[in-house]
Amino acid sequence: MAIKKITAFAPATVANFVCGYDILGFAIEGIGDEVSVSFNQKFENTFALLSNHSELQQLPPEKNVAFEMVKQVQEAIGRTDGIHIELNKKMPLNSGLGSSSASAVAALVAANALYDNPLSTDQLLPLAMEGERLACGTAHADNVAPSLLGGIVLVKGYQPLEVVSIPVPKHWYCCVVHAHVDVPTRLARKILKTTIPLKEAVVQFGNIAGLIAGIYSGNDQLVSNSMQDVLIEPHRSLLIPYFQEMKKLALGENAIGFGISGSGPSVFALCKTEQQATQIADAIEQLLISAQIGRDVFVSRISTQGAHIL
Ligand code: HSE
């Protein structure tokens, strides 16, 4: 009898959407991780990494987020069978593109499907957040929620957890540039201030509300005016080479907005057309080539499809 093997794909994500630290994110097309699962006739889970990420190769399997997520599904439904897990990691680590989230979400969706989907997406989401805790120390949802659900997702609150899907403007494209420098999320969170002046908070509240209002009313200018971050970007941009120059290039080409993707070092420009996104991607790539900095450049729509079985 053929062994049942299930493979799930989960997309990369751009978290924070500039002003929505830990509460806003969106999925992008084309990039993501794949996890395959099958029963292994043993009484324990086994793990294989199908990519040559040296940092992950050195990690014991039980510390890998995909391994942990399969275990979480089994615990949630009271199963003790052995599962063989294959992580086909197609994304760079510590890139700011939700790499650990994509692995976690793909593993959850694959394991759940292997058991014929006993858990709903509402039940999978808190498990995915535990994956983030394992990967970077805090259980935020602004990568895992859009990776699981697709589209733009607002995390309205954490206690209790409440997520809201926001409609995706159909004409939007984004260009995402990952400069090859290491910015671990754990570190990029540590450098942030833990208290903020009321005056700055008010500016940020206005921007978040303006961003959401702009999306709902189809007002790109309002979105553009709102894609400003007075709390996080001033600190994290210092970890990203040529951040100000890239921002100037993107806004000079009339991008709707520009900012750090997640905790960086990736950056993104939100654009009105594919052509504009390509032009900005090319301009930023030229800048990084001149600076002799390795990079990956993607032009993508916001993906309305979240994690799914292949
Ligand atoms: N909201 C998170 C952060 C995303 O900015 O730290 C990165 O995982």
Side-chain angles (χ1 to χ4, degrees):
M1 199 178 73
I3 295 175
K4 182 173 165 190
K5 179 172 176 175
I6 289 185
T7 302
F9 170 84
T13 42
V14 168
N16 299 339
F17 210 140
V18 177
C19 54
Y21 177 70
D22 277 0
I23 61 159
L24 267 176
F26 61 80
I28 51 180
E29 282 180 351
I31 332 163
D33 281 348
E34 285 175 20
V35 174
S36 299
V37 288
S38 52
F39 291 114
N40 66 5
Q41 319 293 336
K42 297 183 185 175
F43 293 100
E44 58 180 13
N45 293 344
T46 48
F47 179 80
L49 178 68
L50 306 186
S51 64
N52 51 5
H53 293 73
S54 54
E55 207 177 304
L56 284 186
Q57 279 163 343
Q58 285 158 18
L59 206 64
E62 61 278 8
K63 290 261 158 75
N64 189 287
V65 77
F67 187 97
E68 173 63 22
M69 291 298 97
V70 172
K71 194 172 117 203
Q72 295 264 345
V73 168
Q74 292 170 310
E75 283 175 5
I77 61 173
R79 296 286 295 250
T80 52
D81 349 44
I83 291 183
H84 182 61
I85 307 152
E86 291 175 349
L87 170 58
N88 193 356
K89 185 125 202 83
K90 298 185 151 185
M91 297 175 57
L93 303 182
N94 297 328
S95 57
L97 295 172
S99 174
S100 53
S101 308
S103 293
V105 170
L108 285 172
V109 168
N112 195 36
L114 191 66
Y115 290 116
D116 295 323
N117 294 312
L119 301 175
S120 65
T121 46
D122 283 355
Q123 290 171 303
L124 292 178
L125 186 55
L127 303 185
M129 288 169 61
E130 287 310 311
E132 287 292 59
R133 194 192 303 282
L134 181 69
C136 79
T138 54
H140 54 277
D142 54 335
N143 288 114
V144 286
S147 187
L148 185 62
L149 304 172
I152 304 170
V153 181
L154 165 70
V155 185
K156 189 262 152 207
Y158 281 91
Q159 283 171 338
L161 181 64
E162 189 177 351
V163 297
V164 183
S165 285
I166 307 292
V168 176
K170 287 198 172 53
H171 61 289
W172 279 3
Y173 274 80
C174 64
C175 93
V176 179
V177 180
H178 168 225
H180 292 178
V181 292
D182 214 31
V183 179
T185 299
R186 218 177 264 273
L187 168 79
R189 294 181 76 86
K190 225 180 187 163
I191 62 165
L192 301 176
K193 288 194 282 185
T194 51
T195 55
I196 53 173
L198 187 58
K199 218 166 127 186
E200 287 177 14
V202 169
V203 175
Q204 201 85 354
F205 298 155
N207 285 335
I208 297 163
L211 178 56
I212 301 295
I215 294 175
Y216 271 97
S217 59
N219 185 341
D220 282 352
Q221 189 56 55
L222 178 56
V223 171
S224 181
N225 299 345
S226 306
M227 284 180 70
Q228 320 272 351
D229 172 19
V230 295
L231 300 182
I232 310 298
E233 185 179 296
H235 306 285
R236 285 186 171 170
S237 59
L238 303 175
L239 304 175
I240 302 172
Y242 296 94
F243 178 83
Q244 296 304 341
E245 289 83 352
M246 293 190 280
K247 185 172 183 174
K248 207 168 154 200
L249 274 176
L251 298 182
E253 294 281 349
N254 291 318
I256 300 172
F258 178 90
I260 302 171
S261 173
S263 56
S266 290
V267 293
F268 77 103
L270 185 67
C271 300
K272 296 181 197 100
T273 62
E274 186 176 15
Q275 193 194 1
Q276 186 184 44
T278 306
Q279 264 167 12
I280 292 172
D282 289 348
I284 293 179
E285 183 158 36
Q286 282 311 317
L287 173 77
L288 294 180
I289 289 172
S290 314
Q292 298 187 314
I293 296 174
R295 74 260 135 218
D296 309 299
V297 179
F298 312 97
V299 169
S300 158
R301 283 182 190 275
I302 292 182
S303 176
T304 50
Q305 189 180 29
H308 55 275
I309 302 300
L310 296 176

